[in-house]
């Protein structure tokens, strides 16, 4: 039997053209030595006016972190055309960055669009980064922020019965982990989990991980860098917590409805498809999209491509159905 890795799926033509330009400054592979530079890289979201010219009221709050740990920062963004006394649904947003980079402003552009279109409050959490703060620091920060948000829903103008968790990449993996923790700990009841190209499996051994080695965005080498920063020597071993790598969970029953999307030409394809399938097999609700020719984060890096527009529209439709908006 041949052990040759099959060729990767082709990139969407529009995305391939964008990737050729992106590749000049965004290599597919990151090694541990580039983490400091990655954290210093300019990110468009950081320069964005989160208030959208006054259309959104923005507050930054320092709230208690996990017991015995530092406070965490929450960005609370609420459409200005709503009254603070009217409780709105909330999207609890967890940023991406491979567990090693980013902050609570990263990835907010689309989320703020949802806030304005659907009239929801966005709460975006800052969490400590690996490797300086390995597991369980990131997920426990995110969970502590969710608990605080739910407990203070009244003062935030949030309907505590309509909170969903959402994130992309590492933020998608942390969102899945927070949903597991909320279920297992009897924590806040979530109405949904939006998992966008989520980073779920530390084992890094799927066919898509092998196919996409050295290609696209966030390849197998980058994935090893991120997971090793989070887990150290435990990465890939038998004793990894599902709150670190949700793909390790043995029971996916009793979870809130999930939206899972991923590109066909990215490292996370197979682990994400498997996660959605396992939710169905456990009797749960999941909507799965595999976008043909999509690389990791394609919709953020090539937002005008037709497939990116389709992906963005599908997310809004799911949110609208979930929220009854």
């Amino acid at each position: 039997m041949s052990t040759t890795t099959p060729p990767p799926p082709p990139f969407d033509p529009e995305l391939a053209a964008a990737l050729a330009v992106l590749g000049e400054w965004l290599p597919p592979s990151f090694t541990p030595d580039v983490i400091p530079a990655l954290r210093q890289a300019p990110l468009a979201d950081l320069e964005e006016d989160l208030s959208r010219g006054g259309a959104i009221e923005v507050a930054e709050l320092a709230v208690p972190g996990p017991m015995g740990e530092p406070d965490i920062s929450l960005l609370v963004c609420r459409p200005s055309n709503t009254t603070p006394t009217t409780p709105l649904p909330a999207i609890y947003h967890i940023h991406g960055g491979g567990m090693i980079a980013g902050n609570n402003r990263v990835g907010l552009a689309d989320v703020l669009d949802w806030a304005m279109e659907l009239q929801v409050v966005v709460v975006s959490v800052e969490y400590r980064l690996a490797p300086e703060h390995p597991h369980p620091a990131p997920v426990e920060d995110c969970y502590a922020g969710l608990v605080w948000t739910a407990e203070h829903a009244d003062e935030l103008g949030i309907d505590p019965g309509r909170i969903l968790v959402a994130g992309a990449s590492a933020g998608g993996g942390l969102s899945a982990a927070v949903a597991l923790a909320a279920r297992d700990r009897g924590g806040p009841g979530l109405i949904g989990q939006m998992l966008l190209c989520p980073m779920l499996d530390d084992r890094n051994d799927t066919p898509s991980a092998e196919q996409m080695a050295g290609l696209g965005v966030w390849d197998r080498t980058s994935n090893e860098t991120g997971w090793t920063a989070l887990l150290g020597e435990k990465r890939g071993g038998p004793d990894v917590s599902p709150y670190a790598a949700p793909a390790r969970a043995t029971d996916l029953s009793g979870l809130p409805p999930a939206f899972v999307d991923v590109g066909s030409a990215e490292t996370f394809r197979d682990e994400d498809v498997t996660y959605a399938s396992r939710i169905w097999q456990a009797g749960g609700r999941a909507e799965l999209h595999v976008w043909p020719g999509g690389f990791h984060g394609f919709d953020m890096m090539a937002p005008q491509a037709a497939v990116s527009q389709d992906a963005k529209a599908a997310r809004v439709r799911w949110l609208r159905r979930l929220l009854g908006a």
Side-chain angles (χ1 to χ4, degrees):
M1 181 184 296
S2 173
T3 58
T4 303
T5 301
F11 293 117
D12 171 89
E14 281 187 285
L15 299 183
L19 192 59
V21 176
L22 290 168
E24 296 180 6
W25 59 271
L26 184 66
S29 301
F30 291 104
T31 49
D33 58 293
V34 303
I35 291 176
L38 188 61
R39 291 177 179 173
Q40 295 300 317
L43 294 168
D45 297 67
L46 303 184
E47 303 302 322
E48 183 180 0
D49 173 19
L50 298 182
S51 75
R52 300 285 176 92
I56 294 177
E57 296 174 355
V58 181
E60 185 163 8
L61 308 177
V63 308
M67 186 174 295
E69 300 294 342
D71 286 354
I72 53 177
S73 168
L74 297 180
L75 278 176
V76 181
C77 307
R78 182 186 180 93
S80 300
N81 62 351
T82 62
T83 59
T85 55
T86 302
L88 298 179
I91 296 173
Y92 185 78
H93 174 255
I94 304 176
H95 71 79
M99 306 289 183
I100 55 177
N103 63 30
N104 58 5
R105 292 174 174 262
V106 170
L108 276 182
D110 283 352
V111 186
L112 294 178
D113 288 344
W114 303 339
M116 296 179 67
E117 181 172 352
L118 302 174
Q119 296 295 281
V120 301
V121 177
V122 172
V123 179
S124 190
V125 61
E126 183 103 0
Y127 56 88
R128 290 169 291 170
L129 300 173
E132 295 88 346
H133 304 285
H135 177 76
V139 70
E140 292 297 345
D141 284 355
C142 294
Y143 185 75
L146 173 65
V147 170
W148 188 93
T149 298
E151 289 178 345
H152 294 78
D154 285 350
E155 64 194 73
L156 296 174
I158 289 172
D159 179 351
R162 291 200 293 166
I163 299 174
L164 67 108
V165 63
S169 193
L174 287 164
S175 294
V178 163
L180 288 168
R183 178 199 66 182
D184 296 344
R185 300 175 185 179
L190 298 170
I191 62 165
Q193 50 179 332
M194 177 170 270
L195 314 179
L196 307 181
C197 52
M199 180 177 175
L200 299 172
D201 196 340
D202 64 296
R203 290 164 290 199
N204 202 23
D205 60 0
T206 62
S208 58
E210 295 177 358
Q211 281 182 308
M212 300 309 301
L215 299 172
V217 173
W218 196 261
D219 75 344
R220 195 178 188 187
T221 297
S222 298
N223 208 31
E224 181 175 339
T225 296
W227 281 115
T228 301
L230 184 72
L231 297 172
E233 294 180 354
K234 289 187 175 181
R235 184 193 68 79
D239 299 320
V240 172
S241 166
Y243 307 134
R248 299 295 196 117
T250 57
D251 177 11
L252 296 184
S253 65
L255 292 170
F259 181 100
V260 183
D261 80 351
V262 68
S264 70
E266 69 163 296
T267 299
F268 296 150
R269 180 195 69 217
D270 293 340
E271 65 196 65
D272 293 354
V273 170
T274 296
Y275 199 74
S277 297
R278 291 183 57 219
I279 291 174
W280 295 322
Q281 291 160 11
R285 293 170 55 192
E287 179 172 325
L288 171 67
H289 294 267
V290 182
W291 298 105
F295 57 80
H296 186 63
F298 66 91
D299 56 291
M300 292 184 286
M301 300 181 199
Q304 298 309 314
V307 68
S308 300
Q309 292 294 306
D310 287 347
K312 291 171 181 287
R315 295 165 191 169
V316 172
R317 286 195 297 268
W318 182 80
L319 285 168
R320 195 177 294 281
R321 291 197 305 274
L322 184 75
L323 299 172

